[in-house]
Amino acid sequence: MPLTPSRRLYARQTYGRAADAFDAVAWRPPEPRRFDSRVANDPVVPEPTLKELAADLPGWVTVVAGGAVAALMGALLGGALAL
């Protein structure tokens, strides 16, 4: 791919060097134009706790989840005893 004058200007503005800006070894990502000063793990909204999440669930979820866990444990115990 020839280095046309427009691509040479783009390479000069982006990477600082026009001669080897399109070589595989010379590639680097362009630098960001502005810096976001917020911390990456800075929560905007506080996360709900596990107690709050459990309090918001309807009552039938506890019964169904308990039945599913009991069925799974029974299947695992039956499979273990069959060995």
Side-chain angles (χ1 to χ4, degrees), residues 1-5 7-8 22:
M1 176 183 311
L3 196 58
T4 62
R7 289 179 60 92
R8 186 179 303 275
F22 291 101

Side-chain angles (χ1 to χ4, degrees), residues 36-47:
D36 189 9
S37 60
R38 289 183 299 155
V39 180
N41 59 357
D42 188 17
V44 177
V45 179
E47 293 284 329

Side-chain angles (χ1 to χ4, degrees), residues 20-83:
D20 54 356
F22 291 101
D23 291 344
V25 229
W27 185 87
R28 66 174 184 227
E31 297 177 3
R33 298 289 182 218
R34 62 185 179 92
F35 179 71
D36 189 9
S37 60
R38 289 183 299 155
V39 180
N41 59 357
D42 188 17
V44 177
V45 179
E47 293 284 329
T49 62
L50 189 59
K51 285 184 180 182
E52 292 172 352
L53 287 175
D56 291 340
L57 291 175
W60 61 268
V61 173
T62 306
V63 175
V64 170
V69 168
L72 180 65
M73 292 300 290
L76 290 173
L77 181 64
L81 290 177
L83 293 177

